[in-house]
Amino acid sequence: MAQELLRVEHLSAAYGGIHALHDISLEVEEGEIVAVLGANGAGKSTLLKCLSGEKKFLNGSITFDGKPLPSKPYQVVENGMVIVPEGRQIFYKLSVKDNLKVGCCLRNDKDGIRKDFERVYAMFPRLKERENQYGGLLSGGEQQMLAIARGLMAKPRLLMLDEPGLGLAPIIVNQIMDILKEVNEEGTTILLIEQNARKALKLCDRAYLMNVGNIVTEGTGKELLADSTLMEAYLGQ
Ligand code: ATP
């Protein structure tokens, strides 16, 4: 039987007087790819900020592997919830290799770290080729690959990605989706926020659709893709 990994219940969050999340509930089971979709301003990034411990929420609860989310972001990472942030946020003036080292800075299992370096370099040969170059010299797509690889170096059980396809050519977005599939098949559960609803729905097992701070519907990727009214109404696609 599938095991629940993440549970969000009745979550609300605000920026001053602006309520960004209203009573959000969702769950992610171990081994799933779950997408969260919605137009600009729907509250997707705010949800991820709450999940990563970066933003305090007003009401509700977040549990991971049956335990409440720790209060400090670094503890959230140590627990196995790792975010690949919007805009990649790689370190331009660090080499590719040093960017990856940042990803594993909370770990001290040397053998595991060495194996994970081999694993991410096998998954992203371009990063191996350019390991001594500044991160800032990579193309947009390569920087996104680096951001994902850095996330993997933290040894996530749940990898949470905020718009990994943003600003990238469709062919590169397809490559990223393929990589996420591979990461998932190797055992990492994925929570994906993505503007490109069609690509995300094709990849995911299940999805939640958000609109102005609420979850308006949920279903399997196939179900939501087939609902053209919904796609047009909320996603303009
Ligand atoms: P996008 O795809 O544009 O990133 P989103 O679905 O991720 O959109 P959020 O960024 O979570 O949406 O924003 C949800 C709401 O919270 C919006 O009304 C937004 O204007 C507001 N908001 C987000 N960040 C802040 C902030 N730092 N200060 C004030 N309001 C904010």
Side-chain angles (χ1 to χ4, degrees):
M1 209 178 79
Q3 196 173 332
E4 177 188 290
L5 193 57
L6 175 71
R7 175 175 284 274
V8 175
E9 280 186 315
H10 307 299
L11 196 75
S12 311
Y15 300 93
I18 302 168
H19 276 254
L21 299 179
H22 307 273
D23 200 24
I24 296 287
S25 297
L26 58 84
E27 60 184 55
V28 179
E29 289 178 354
E30 186 123 50
E32 278 192 307
I33 301 181
V34 172
V36 177
L37 308 172
N40 285 344
K44 307 177 303 292
S45 297
T46 304
L47 173 63
L48 271 203
K49 283 182 187 148
C50 292
L51 291 174
S52 64
E54 189 188 325
K55 178 158 180 59
K56 299 279 167 246
F57 44 91
L58 296 175
N59 291 303
S61 64
I62 300 173
T63 47
F64 182 68
D65 204 17
K67 295 179 212 79
L69 195 76
S71 58
K72 306 246 175 358
Y74 80 88
Q75 295 168 325
V76 175
V77 174
E78 279 179 334
N79 264 9
M81 286 172 73
V82 175
I83 191 162
V84 179
E86 185 172 7
R88 345 214 199 277
Q89 297 183 24
I90 62 158
F91 298 99
Y92 285 10
K93 288 288 172 76
L94 290 185
S95 67
V96 166
K97 191 172 186 180
D98 286 344
N99 267 280
L100 293 174
K101 282 186 186 166
V102 172
C104 57
C105 65
L106 294 173
R107 295 172 61 183
N108 48 26
D109 57 324
K110 277 194 180 148
D111 281 352
I113 291 172
R114 189 178 40 76
K115 280 189 191 133
D116 280 343
F117 259 105
E118 285 169 12
R119 175 183 172 224
V120 299
Y121 280 151
M123 203 174 262
F124 305 98
R126 192 84 180 123
L127 297 183
K128 172 72 182 158
E129 282 165 28
R130 308 191 71 173
E131 67 175 351
N132 294 316
Q133 289 191 14
Y134 281 146
L137 294 177
L138 301 181
S139 70
E142 288 165 350
Q143 288 184 13
Q144 185 59 62
M145 306 286 179
L146 178 56
I148 294 171
R150 182 183 58 191
L152 291 174
M153 289 304 296
K155 209 177 175 186
R157 284 181 71 192
L158 177 67
L159 189 67
M160 307 181 287
L161 301 104
D162 195 351
E163 312 258 13
L166 196 67
L168 301 176
I171 189 167
I172 309 288
V173 180
N174 289 344
Q175 284 173 16
I176 287 169
M177 295 294 156
D178 289 345
I179 282 161
L180 294 182
K181 186 152 193 56
E182 189 181 334
V183 167
N184 178 252
E185 281 168 359
E186 287 185 4
T188 307
T189 307
I190 290 179
L191 182 64
L192 171 67
I193 284 181
E194 183 51 61
Q195 284 271 334
N196 193 321
R198 285 192 185 279
K199 288 193 198 298
L201 287 172
K202 279 187 192 147
L203 175 76
C204 73
D205 299 301
R206 291 187 305 112
Y208 294 87
L209 179 56
M210 288 184 71
N211 190 39
V212 286
N214 296 284
I215 289 182
V216 286
T217 192
E218 62 174 284
T220 64
K222 262 196 188 140
E223 282 165 355
L224 298 192
L225 260 180
D227 190 337
S228 53
T229 317
L230 195 96
M231 295 289 289
E232 274 169 36
Y234 292 107
L235 300 164
Q237 297 190 18

